[in-house]
Amino acid sequence: MARDQIDMTPLQSRDELVAWIEAGVKPESEFRIGTEHEKTPFTLEGHQPVPYDGAKGIGALLEGMKLLLGWEPIMERGNIIGLYDVTGGGAISLEPGGQFELSGAPVETVHQTQSELMAHLAQVREIATPLGIGFLGLGMTPSWSREQIPVMPKGRYKIMRNYMPKVGKYGLDMMFRTCTVQTNLDFSSEADMVKKLRVSLALQPIATALFANSPFTEGKPNGFLSFRSEIWRDTDNARSGMIPFAFEDGMGYERYVDYALDVPMYFVKRGDEYIDVSGSSFRDFFAGKNRILPGERPTLSDWANHLSTIFPEVRLKRYLEMRGADGVPWGRLPALPAFWVGLLYDNDSLDAAWDIVRHWTAPERQALRDDVPRFGFKSRIKNRYLFEIAKECLILSHAGLRRRGRIDHLGRDESRFLEPLEHIIETGRSPAEEMLEKFNGPWKGSVEPAYQEYAF
C-alpha cells in the first residue's frame, strides 16, 4: 500500500464499516484490474542490499523517479517514501526492506497492465542503472541474511517490526525478505463478492504453485518451492490464512467486518505520527476502550488503514486482492492478472471454477494450503493432484479471456498472457523446480547467477 488513508470522518456505527466496503460495488462494465508487484533492489556491483540513504540509495532513486514522472511525493518526517500519480491513480511505494512496489492504476484490460509494466520498468531503469541499482524478480531474497537488509524509514514498519516476533516465527522474514505480485479485482454485488472470494480462496494454492519462485535462503535450497508462502503460515495467524468462515452460511460484508473488528491492530495515525496500539482490537477502539487512546473513537481512515493490515490469502477491501503468488521476473508478471481475470470476470468460467471447489471442506482446503509451499503441483486434495486442477483452471481461464474478447492493436486477446503458465503446465515443473535444476547444474551450487537471469 503506497500511503495510509487520511479521511478523518468520525465513525458512529458498525453500519458505516460495512458501507465502506460495500461502496466498492461496480457494474460489470466498470470492472477494472489493478496489479501490484514488488521487486528486490540490489547493487549491480556485488549484489548487495541497497540502503535508503546516500547518493546511490533508495531515497535517491525515489527522488529521481519523482523528477522523471512528475508524480506527487509521499513524505514521512522529511523522507521521501513513495510517489503517487494524482491523475492515473498508480503509486510507487517501499516495503520494509526496500522492496520497490508499483501499485498499478486500475485499468480495463491486461494489455494495459502490460503497457503500464513496460513503461514503469523503462522509467525505473533510466534512474536506477546510473545509480548502480538492479532489481530481482524472485519471491524471496536468495542470498542475504535478515540482518544484512536495511530498514526503510516508515513509522508503520517500526511498529510492525517490534510486534511481529511476538506473534509468529517468520514475520520479520515476510517484511524484509519477500516479494509478491498481486491482482485486485472488482465485484458487482455482495453475492458476487462472496462467490469470487470463495473461488479465489480455494484456488489460491494453484497460483502459489504456478508462481512458486523462492527455493533459496541465504544461498542454499531451503526445502520449499515457495518459501515465501511457507513464511505466511507462521507470520501472524490472527490476521492471515484461509479464513474458513468465508464458506459458511451468512457470509457477506457484515461477516468480514466482524472478523476485521477482532483482528489485532498495528497503529493509529494522527498527522505524521504513528501511534503504536499493536495487539489491541479494532472492536475495542470502536467502543472507545483502546488502552493507548482511551475514550477516543476511530475515523474512516483508521478503518481503511486497519483493513490494509489484514493479510488473508484473499483480502477484501473495496475490491478483492489475490495474495498467493511469489514475485516473478517481468515476463511472467501479466500472467497473474490474466489468470484471475479469466477465471473471475467471466461468469461461465467462474461457475465452472466454483463447481471444482464447492465440495472441498475447510480441513481439505487448509491441508492443500499447508502442503503447496513444499510440494507444489504434487500436493493433493480429494485424491486429485494439484497439477490436474491447475491444468483444468488454466483451460477455464483461457476460455474466459477469449470470451471477454479484449483485443489489442494486433488483434490478440488477453489469453496470450497465459503463455508462461501454459509452458509451466506443459513441462510439469514450477519455476522453483527449474531454478533448483540450474542450481544443481550450470549454476554449480551458487545462487549468484540468479542476479542476472532473474533481474528486471
Side-chain angles (χ1 to χ4, degrees), residues 44 61 65 122-135:
L44 293 173
L61 174 62
M65 293 293 291
Q123 293 154 355
V124 168
R125 291 185 190 118
E126 183 175 342
I127 304 301
T129 302
L131 297 177
I133 298 173
F135 294 92

Side-chain angles (χ1 to χ4, degrees), residues 192-334:
D192 186 50
M193 178 278 290
V194 171
K195 190 170 187 178
K196 288 173 175 171
L197 177 62
R198 288 171 172 171
V199 167
S200 56
L201 272 169
L203 295 179
Q204 212 59 219
I206 289 178
T208 301
L210 285 168
F211 289 80
N213 203 31
S214 47
F216 304 116
T217 303
E218 297 178 23
K220 298 177 181 178
N222 52 37
F224 293 86
L225 301 177
S226 174
F227 192 54
R228 184 205 62 85
S229 182
E230 177 67 13
I231 281 170
W232 275 110
R233 293 184 61 239
D234 197 357
T235 288
D236 182 349
N237 290 329
R239 69 181 71 246
S240 59
M242 293 291 283
I243 50 174
F245 67 82
F247 294 83
E248 297 171 359
D249 290 344
M251 175 58 192
Y253 304 132
E254 291 191 24
R255 182 66 185 84
Y256 194 87
V257 164
D258 287 337
Y259 157 72
L261 280 169
D262 290 321
V263 171
M265 299 173 67
Y266 284 147
F267 63 85
V268 171
K269 189 178 185 191
R270 292 293 179 264
D272 290 334
E273 183 182 3
Y274 285 85
I275 301 168
D276 186 345
V277 296
S278 55
S280 58
S281 73
F282 201 91
R283 189 181 297 278
D284 283 347
F285 188 26
F286 195 72
K289 298 178 181 178
N290 185 280
R291 66 183 187 279
I292 305 299
L293 300 168
E296 185 166 338
R297 297 289 297 273
T299 68
L300 206 54
S301 65
D302 294 328
W303 177 238
N305 291 336
H306 177 59
L307 290 180
S308 77
T309 66
I310 300 173
F311 307 122
E313 293 294 294
V314 179
R315 178 159 65 190
L316 173 62
K317 292 194 284 190
R318 284 176 163 171
Y319 45 81
L320 291 168
E321 184 177 288
M322 311 294 120
R323 299 177 49 82
D326 284 3
V328 291
W330 68 266
R332 286 203 294 268
L333 282 173

